[in-house]
Amino acid sequence: MEHAYEVILIGGGPVGMMLAGELALAGIKVCIVERLKETTPFSRALTVHPRTLEILDMRGVKSKLMSTGRPLPRGHFAGLDTPLNFSVLDSTSNYTLFLPQSETEKVLEEWALGLGAEIRREVEALSVHQDEEGVDVQIAGPDGETALRAAYVVGTDGARSLVRKQAGISFEGTDTTFTAILGDAVLSELPSMSVVSRISEKGLASIMPINKHLYRVLIIDPERSHVSKNEPVTYEEFRASLIRTAGSDFGLTEARWLSRFGNATRQADRYRNNRLFLAGDAAHIHFPAGGQGMNVGLQEAMNLGWKLAGAIKGWAPDWLLDSYHTERFPWNTALLRNTEVQTLLLDTTPPIMEMRGMLSKLLSIPEANYQIAAQIAAIDVHYAPDAEAPPHPLNGKRSKDITLRLKNEQQVSVYQLLHKGTFLLLQLNCNEQNEENWEDYRNLQIVSASLDVTDDDWNNVHSALIRPDGHIAWAIPRSNPNSGQTIKEGIARWCGNVTE
């Protein structure tokens, strides 16, 4: 048996890289097994949404993406004429970042490697087999076949996931009923940085600039929508479909990447089978409406990483690993439903075209626009409040990046304090001293501060425990008559009774 790891990740796309970084940050010995020689050279997932930018900000990674990406204050729902307004979201990342997946992967790979993660490239996983004490992974690479051993294995290996299949986890849902075409193309007759969106009975064409010379083109061509997604897209087909749906080829001179994809919608019925876990496309697939897929996968990696690390380190309570499925499954179900709705709205029959007009008018109402924008941006994600904690409106919600003022008058943001990936006990305007020795908790950081600017959600908070993924485990009001005991019990429940 070759090298023993604590976690092996099968699949080194963005989700695998994010999870590797999270685990390595917690001091976990983690290895990625990836078939490709290097990160993808293609643009693929082009959109990094607000909640994803927030979680990357919590790890100090967002700034690296911002240096090459293009912030956009607007998004869309099914390409309706009225755009979604991200700029009004209650977030310091109130925009989407237009950035090729190739660049996102490079940044995440650099981050994971810098923290000590190991990546084995040009290596394919052949089988996984778990027992009571660990998981054996049979791999094949340039040096032949060998076996690896780990305490846990996570399948970040896409829609055809080997891990999901060998874990015996069903993948329920619907098959493809139509296909669409994606391409990265040079369009010489379009003015630089142009945006084109056309939908009619002839189909849909959406064109967005990747840079000054290259455009992302999405085509739904009724004449080609029943072609199998396994059939390669030819340059001639791409050009003909673009002319049919948009009325022009816009001076098409080169297509650097072409892909056909379908609207199959499936979800694993569970994200865990003992020592085997699923994340990203291995757990769910859907039509890529609204650019949500990669984003959801990265958010799952953030949810799972610290919980898996806690189990390995020995401090995590038994229920914590199971909460990965219970927290993420409902939100991913909602994701699948919203992509199915968007898919229906891409039909070009007269009734659907009329409905598109009606919905576009509804989105001009700020409250309606905000609700849909928050869903696409994943800003609305919250988890069920801890039943063992005293009730509080913040329990289970995502923490905004509020600015704090420390006792020495230094200003610091909550997301800066989460860079280490630990729990954060935030004590606001608390004069009493805790008698407990919280320094024994290696996974806990304690900060006493005040709000730099008043905030309706936080003004009456005495203390709050913020999870490593930026969600609030619990908060207690200033009126709590027994705050010291409540804090003690809350930390013991979430951070463990036994320290490292």
Side-chain angles (χ1 to χ4, degrees):
M1 182 68 63
E2 204 183 323
H3 298 283
Y5 297 95
E6 291 173 303
V7 180
I8 294 174
L9 309 178
I10 310 297
V15 179
M17 292 296 177
M18 180 75 190
L19 184 52
E22 281 294 290
L23 291 166
L25 182 63
I28 300 301
K29 189 177 182 183
V30 57
C31 173
I32 294 176
V33 173
E34 169 55 49
R35 291 183 296 107
L36 297 179
K37 184 177 182 179
E38 56 190 16
T39 55
T40 181
F42 304 119
S43 65
R44 295 186 181 275
L46 268 174
T47 306
V48 187
H49 277 316
R51 181 55 182 167
T52 307
L53 291 171
E54 286 187 342
I55 66 173
L56 294 173
D57 203 7
M58 294 173 199
R59 298 299 184 260
V61 178
K62 174 185 167 182
S63 59
K64 297 178 181 178
L65 297 183
M66 295 296 295
S67 65
T68 52
R70 189 168 80 250
L72 299 173
R74 304 190 303 178
H76 73 89
F77 188 83
L80 295 174
D81 288 342
T82 304
L84 300 177
N85 184 5
F86 289 150
S87 69
V88 297
L89 296 174
D90 191 9
S91 170
T92 49
S93 298
N94 56 349
Y95 46 83
T96 189
L97 193 67
F98 207 66
L99 182 69
Q101 181 179 322
S102 54
E103 298 301 315
T104 304
E105 276 191 29
K106 287 176 185 176
V107 169
L108 292 174
E109 179 184 45
E110 180 183 342
W111 178 60
L113 287 172
L115 291 168
E118 183 178 335
I119 302 175
R120 293 181 175 226
R121 291 196 171 274
E122 298 183 271
V123 173
E124 182 174 6
L126 303 177
S127 66
V128 294
H129 175 74
Q130 65 174 323
D131 53 47
E132 291 184 1
E133 297 179 351
V135 186
D136 295 324
V137 180
Q138 193 72 20
I139 62 171
D143 299 325
E145 289 191 22
T146 189
L148 305 177
R149 177 83 171 169
Y152 296 95
V153 166
V154 184
T156 51
D157 49 347
R160 298 182 179 87
S161 174
L162 170 75
V163 177
R164 187 186 66 239
K165 294 171 183 175
Q166 302 218 330
I169 297 174
S170 64
F171 204 38
E172 302 297 329
T174 56
D175 291 327
T176 294
T177 59
F178 78 89
T179 58
I181 294 171
L182 275 181
D184 290 350
V186 177
L187 307 176
S188 61
E189 293 178 6
L190 269 182
S192 180
M193 305 303 285
S194 296
V195 176
V196 176
S197 181
R198 296 179 183 172
I199 183 167
S200 68
E201 68 279 357
K202 296 180 180 180
L204 176 146
S206 175
I207 302 173
M208 287 283 291
I210 297 175
N211 55 45
K212 292 181 180 180
H213 310 289
L214 195 66
Y215 290 85
R216 162 58 59 86
V217 182
L218 165 65
I219 301 172
I220 299 179
D221 181 357
E223 291 192 24
R224 302 294 295 168
S225 62
H226 296 293
V227 176
S228 168
K229 68 182 181 66
N230 297 319
E231 181 177 322
V233 182
T234 65
Y235 179 89
E236 292 74 19
E237 178 192 5
F238 180 69
R239 182 175 182 274
S241 287
L242 184 57
I243 293 172
R244 265 194 302 271
T245 56
S248 170
D249 71 356
F250 301 102
L252 172 67
T253 57
E254 181 184 357
R256 297 183 184 176
W257 173 66
L258 294 171
S259 177
R260 197 187 314 272
F261 61 94
N263 65 326
T265 301
R266 295 184 176 277
Q267 182 168 206
D269 68 344
R270 50 189 169 141
Y271 292 178
R272 177 190 184 186
N273 180 353
N274 296 323
R275 294 180 174 274
L276 303 177
F277 290 80
L278 303 175
D281 289 351
H284 42 75
I285 58 171
H286 55 86
F287 191 80
Q292 301 169 91
M294 179 186 73
N295 290 275
V296 169
L298 295 177
Q299 292 156 29
E300 287 165 7
M302 188 74 151
N303 185 287
L304 177 59
W306 61 277
K307 297 174 179 179
L308 202 52
I312 293 167
K313 294 289 187 178
W315 59 259
D318 293 339
W319 53 268
L320 195 60
L321 266 186
D322 286 334
S323 74
Y324 168 60
H325 171 87
T326 56
E327 288 186 343
R328 292 305 312 177
F329 188 86
W331 289 103
N332 293 336
T333 301
L335 162 71
L336 300 189
R337 298 294 86 82
N338 95 47
T339 57
E340 288 175 323
V341 169
Q342 292 187 73
T343 302
L344 288 174
L345 291 171
L346 296 176
D347 189 352
T348 56
T349 58
I352 298 299
M353 294 295 286
E354 181 68 21
M355 181 178 287
R356 287 179 61 86
M358 294 171 63
L359 291 176
S360 188
K361 289 179 181 177
L362 287 174
L363 283 182
S364 67
I365 301 171
E367 293 80 3
N369 197 298
Y370 189 98
Q371 182 172 332
I372 302 301
Q375 182 180 20
I376 298 298
I379 291 295
D380 66 343
V381 173
H382 59 275
Y383 302 132
D386 183 359
E388 300 294 320
H392 192 281
L394 287 177
N395 290 0
K397 292 185 178 179
R398 59 173 258 282
S399 174
K400 297 179 291 187
D401 191 19
I402 56 176
T403 301
L404 306 170
R405 187 173 294 276
L406 305 179
K407 291 182 178 179
N408 63 3
E409 295 302 311
Q410 178 185 353
Q411 288 180 311
V412 64
S413 74
V414 165
Y415 289 2
Q416 283 178 279
L417 295 171
L418 291 172
H419 284 189
K420 295 179 181 179
T422 64
F423 282 94
L424 171 62
L425 176 61
L426 185 57
Q427 300 187 297
L428 299 176
N429 298 314
C430 303
N431 295 319
E432 70 267 27
Q433 295 294 319
N434 288 311
E435 296 179 359
E436 301 297 326
N437 185 12
W438 302 126
E439 293 181 358
D440 289 344
Y441 283 84
R442 303 283 183 84
N443 58 344
L444 177 65
Q445 181 182 181
I446 301 93
V447 173
S448 295
S450 59
L451 298 176
D452 188 56
V453 178
T454 59
D455 185 288
D456 289 343
D457 294 331
W458 287 90
N459 286 338
N460 192 36
V461 173
H462 174 285
S463 299
L465 183 67
I466 301 176
R467 303 170 5 165
D469 60 2
H471 282 263
I472 300 164
W474 49 258
I476 57 176
R478 294 184 184 180
S479 59
N480 187 296
N482 193 11
S483 57
Q485 183 63 25
T486 303
I487 292 171
K488 179 180 178 181
E489 293 173 355
I491 288 178
R493 172 164 168 76
W494 280 88
C495 303
N497 282 301
V498 180
T499 58
E500 294 180 46

